[in-house]
Amino acid sequence: MRKKVVAGNWKMYKDKSETIELISGLKEKLSKFNSEVEVIICPPFTSIEIAKELLKGSVIHLGAQNMHFEDEGAFTGEISAKMLKSFGVEYVILGHSERRSIFREDDKMINKKVLKAVSVGLKPIFCIGETLEERENNKTFDVIARQLTEGLSSISNEHLNEIIVAYEPVWAIGTGKTATPSQAEEVHKYLRKLIEEKFGRSFAESMRILYGGSVKPDNAKELFSQPNIDGGLIGGACLKADSFYDVINSAV
Ligand code: PEP
């Protein structure tokens, strides 16, 4: 049985006091939660240190939203995997569609990031997904197969266990348009088959594949109850304790 995961991507939201407020609210809501769902929050870099402090003793895990693939160097404005690790970060979102489209990250760069992350002990939440144009041109399976193959190229079996895949159709992110449970399940099923072909049956059975794209309290339960959907990567709905908690509860 795969343990369900609900991860919150805060994006570029929440300053210091808002971080304290949101984490306090979540901790209170989750105080009696018996961790049958793995809960992860990914605040901005500026909130990582305070988040780590506030999350002590809580069931909530800490992730970051990005990192550079080098350990250190003249890369103004960047943060390395090693730096994140030194602050007690456990997960890192890599390959998010906003990084791919706005910051021009390609599969090759994302692969370097994935390999660097696992080499220092960070667990990637590795995002893939097609654009609306790609879907309309029947390219969905080709695109996600390419993203998965190239993004996870050269990864060792030892590290494969640490990867969480997030399928996020770009047309559903922040748009209010959600893939229907059957549309999402169709892609998740295909992905699990692809993982089996590439890495073998036991990895395919154990790897968590999350759905992301306008998941909200009112659509989460149906999505999360599909056989190949192991939880969600949540944007907008993770910014309030109430709605994030309701999404988490939909995975129970
Ligand atoms: C995301 O940013 O990964 C995401 C899924 O956002 P939203 O839930 O707002 O669509």
Side-chain angles (χ1 to χ4, degrees):
M1 264 300 276
R2 295 180 295 270
K3 187 172 185 174
K4 289 242 187 329
V5 180
V6 176
N9 173 13
W10 291 16
K11 310 195 187 194
M12 199 174 73
Y13 292 101
K14 307 294 177 188
D15 63 14
K16 190 173 177 181
S17 63
E18 291 163 339
T19 296
I20 296 169
E21 192 188 333
L22 178 52
I23 293 181
S24 307
L26 275 176
K27 274 173 59 179
E28 201 180 308
K29 292 225 155 246
L30 290 168
S31 59
K32 292 191 189 76
F33 199 71
N34 61 12
S35 76
E36 47 201 293
V37 178
E38 194 168 337
V39 179
I40 306 168
I41 56 166
C42 303
F45 293 137
T46 45
S47 292
I48 291 286
E49 187 170 17
I50 187 119
K52 184 71 193 173
E53 189 58 37
L54 293 167
L55 292 178
K56 270 187 194 148
S58 121
V59 295
I60 306 169
H61 298 255
L62 181 62
Q65 299 173 24
N66 181 33
M67 45 157 264
H68 196 271
F69 52 80
E70 295 287 358
D71 283 333
E72 57 186 13
F75 301 104
T76 303
E78 292 292 326
I79 302 280
S80 74
K82 200 166 140 251
M83 291 168 184
L84 294 176
K85 191 70 189 160
S86 75
F87 277 87
V89 171
E90 195 181 345
Y91 289 93
V92 62
I93 298 173
L94 296 174
H96 191 277
S97 71
E98 286 152 17
R99 299 292 321 170
R100 292 178 189 262
S101 65
I102 306 169
F103 301 99
R104 303 266 166 254
E105 292 191 10
D106 59 13
D107 293 318
K108 225 178 172 134
M109 184 191 283
I110 293 159
N111 177 242
K112 283 191 196 174
K113 293 187 177 197
V114 168
L115 297 179
K116 177 54 74 177
V118 294
S119 79
V120 306
L122 287 174
K123 301 177 208 165
I125 301 173
F126 167 60
C127 304
I128 55 179
E130 81 287 0
T131 62
L132 184 58
E133 197 188 348
E134 289 161 345
R135 175 163 280 261
E136 285 174 350
N137 288 317
N138 295 319
K139 292 273 190 299
T140 299
F141 294 137
D142 293 348
V143 169
I144 59 171
R146 189 206 73 227
Q147 290 173 335
L148 185 102
T149 306
E150 295 187 15
L152 297 183
S153 170
S154 308
I155 189 141
S156 67
N157 283 357
E158 177 205 345
H159 288 140
L160 207 50
N161 280 322
E162 281 137 32
I163 308 279
I164 295 176
V165 173
Y167 166 60
E168 299 206 301
V170 179
W171 48 272
I173 299 178
T175 58
K177 281 188 202 156
T178 323
T180 62
S182 63
Q183 271 176 326
E185 171 61 16
E186 183 189 27
V187 177
H188 281 236
K189 197 170 164 191
Y190 169 78
L191 277 168
R192 206 172 293 288
K193 182 127 197 311
L194 197 67
I195 293 163
E196 179 173 345
E197 280 164 22
K198 296 205 166 299
F199 306 112
R201 194 178 184 136
S202 82
F203 284 117
E205 278 173 358
S206 61
M207 194 172 284
R208 273 91 59 89
I209 309 178
L210 313 185
Y211 168 78
S214 299
V215 177
K216 297 191 172 52
D218 62 0
N219 60 22
K221 191 142 201 113
E222 218 190 327
L223 284 160
F224 297 167
S225 59
Q226 302 301 309
N228 288 289
I229 300 184
D230 306 310
L233 179 55
I234 319 300
C238 82
L239 297 173
K240 290 208 169 90
D242 284 356
S243 51
F244 193 46
Y245 178 72
D246 289 346
V247 171
I248 294 164
N249 248 327
S250 307
V252 174

